[in-house]
Amino acid sequence: MTLMAFTNTFAGNPLDRASYRRGDAAWIGEQLAAPESLGVVIWNGKPLVEDAEGGGARIAYVSARMAGDLAGGPERLLFLGLWQGVAVFAVDLDGVADPADGPVQGLGRFEDLRMIAMTLPGTETGILATAKAMFEWRRKHRHCAACGQPSVVADAGWKRVCPSCDTQHFPRTDPVVIMLAVKGERCLVGRQAAWPRLMYSALAGFLEPGETIEEACARELWEEARLKTRRVRYHSTQPWPWPSSLMIGLIAEVENDDAVADQVELDEVRWLTRAETRAMLRGEIADAKAPGALAIAHQLIKAWAEEDGEV
Ligand SMILES: [Zn+2]
C-alpha cells in the first residue's frame, strides 16, 4: 500500500528530511565536508541536470563540498536531507552569468524546471520542488516581517531568525484549491484568456484565512462560475514551487448546471460529458485541449473521466 493514492509531479521527494539534525551545526558541517555527500545546484530557479542513460534527464549532482564552496556560506545553502544515509545539500545561485559556463562547466546544464519536469524521474521532481520552493522563500524573506531588519539563516536553511527582535521565521506554503466541478455525467472546465489557445482546465483559487478546504472550494466555484457545491472529494495534492503553493486537488459535486463565467478570473466555462472529457484527454477534440500531465488539473480530469459511476 502506498502512502498517497496518487503521486503528482513535484510530489514524492524520497529524502529523509532528518529535520531533527538541522539545528546541529557541527553535524551539518561534518556532512558538508564528507566526500560522499551530494549537492544539487539551482541557478535562478533552474536545476543543474544532465542526460540520463536510456533517455530523459536527471539531476547532475555535484559534491557537497563543491556546493558549499559555491554557496560561500550558510545563506545560500540548504540541507535537503539524507538519501540512504548520504547527506544531500542544495545551493542557490543567481546572477546573469550562466554558471555552466563558469564554475560548474562540464558538469551539466541548467534547465527550466517546469519545461524539463516530465523528462526527470518523478522522485527527482520532488527533490527539486523542495529546493526551489525553499530558495524562493529565502529570496523573498530576507527581512524580518516583524521589525524590518535583515534576518539571518538558521537550521541549515530551514529557518530565518531576526538578530534585532529574535523573531523566528519559517518557510511558508500557500494552499490553493483546484477542483473539477461535476454534475452527473458531466464536468465543468473553464479557461482564462491568458492561457494557451483552446486550453481548458479545472477551476482554482487560493485558500483564504479562516476557510476550510471545502469552504474555499465552494466559494471559488460560486464566485467564478455561480455553481453551488454539494459535496467535495479529495483526490491528491501537488507541491507547486512557483513560488510556494500546494495545490489541493478536489472533485466537487455541484447542484446546478447553469454555470456562468465571472469574466474576471474566467472568460469561459463549458460542460463536457465523460466521453467528451476522455476524447479531450486523448487530443481528439478540435476546440478543447486539456492541461499537460504535469499539472494536477490533468490528473483530476483524468481521474474523473476514467471513473464509471457517480462521484
Ligand atoms: Zn525583527
Side-chain angles (χ1 to χ4, degrees):
M1 192 174 143
T2 56
L3 179 63
M4 295 179 283
F6 184 83
T7 302
N8 288 288
T9 303
F10 305 124
N13 176 355
L15 300 182
D16 169 4
R17 295 183 181 223
S19 56
Y20 58 95
R21 312 235 51 174
R22 291 170 185 162
D24 186 343
W27 184 85
I28 291 289
E30 285 169 21
Q31 299 304 310
L32 192 60
E36 67 274 18
S37 297
L38 298 170
V40 174
V41 187
I42 309 273
W43 171 56
N44 291 338
K46 299 177 179 178
L48 185 69
V49 298
E50 61 188 0
D51 291 333
E53 288 165 29
R58 66 184 179 196
I59 294 173
Y61 287 102
V62 300
S63 70
R65 279 185 196 170
M66 185 177 191
D69 290 345
L70 289 168
E75 184 65 29
R76 291 173 176 275
L77 197 63
L78 176 72
F79 169 62
L80 275 170
L82 299 169
W83 171 246
Q84 296 179 348
V86 173
V88 183
F89 291 82
V91 54
D92 182 27
L93 304 176
D94 52 21
V96 176
D98 186 340
D101 296 327
V104 296
Q105 193 163 32
L107 298 177
R109 62 185 187 277
F110 292 96
E111 296 273 6
D112 182 284
L113 180 56
R114 209 173 336 191
M115 299 299 287
I116 202 170
M118 297 306 284
T119 71
L120 292 165
T123 51
E124 293 196 358
T125 67
I127 293 170
L128 294 173
T130 304
K132 183 173 187 304
M134 286 296 296
F135 290 147
E136 294 280 354
W137 169 72
R138 184 192 68 80
R139 191 170 295 124
K140 288 171 183 164
H141 295 80
R142 290 177 177 169
H143 291 81
C144 175
C147 78
Q149 291 298 308
S151 58
V152 295
V153 72
D155 281 7
W158 290 88
K159 186 168 84 173
R160 300 188 72 80
V161 178
C162 176
S164 179
C165 74
D166 292 333
T167 303
Q168 299 182 30
H169 301 279
F170 296 92
R172 54 180 298 160
T173 296
D174 301 321
V176 174
V177 287
I178 179 162
M179 50 273 163
L180 185 68
V182 301
K183 181 166 171 50
E185 285 296 298
R186 293 192 300 166
C187 73
L188 183 100
V189 290
R191 63 168 279 106
Q192 298 176 8
W195 288 355
R197 199 169 155 268
L198 302 178
M199 194 186 89
Y200 287 82
S201 187
L203 276 50
F206 281 101
L207 191 97
E208 295 189 345
E211 272 185 328
T212 65
I213 289 168
E214 296 89 336
E215 287 167 343
C217 170
R219 176 181 54 77
E220 287 288 344
L221 287 180
W222 175 252
E223 288 177 356
E224 293 189 6
R226 286 290 178 260
L227 289 175
K228 293 176 191 153
T229 302
R230 175 182 293 158
R231 199 150 59 105
V232 177
R233 185 157 51 102
Y234 170 80
H235 176 266
S236 63
T237 49
Q238 180 181 42
W240 190 255
W242 287 276
S244 55
S245 290
L246 178 71
M247 310 298 288
I248 303 169
L250 308 165
I251 293 175
E253 188 184 336
V254 297
E255 291 177 8
N256 56 319
D257 59 5
D258 51 343
V260 183
D262 66 357
Q263 303 300 323
V264 180
E265 302 260 350
L266 289 178
D267 292 279
E268 189 192 341
V269 290
R270 64 190 277 185
W271 290 97
L272 298 173
T273 66
R274 217 183 285 261
E276 287 169 336
T277 309
R278 289 175 183 154
M280 179 177 75
L281 289 165
R282 291 195 300 265
E284 293 171 0
I285 292 190
D287 63 347
K289 291 183 173 28
L294 169 86
I296 190 173
H298 177 101
Q299 305 304 338
L300 281 175
I301 294 168
K302 184 165 179 275
W304 178 78
E306 291 175 353
E307 284 172 3
D308 284 320
E310 286 289 307
V311 293

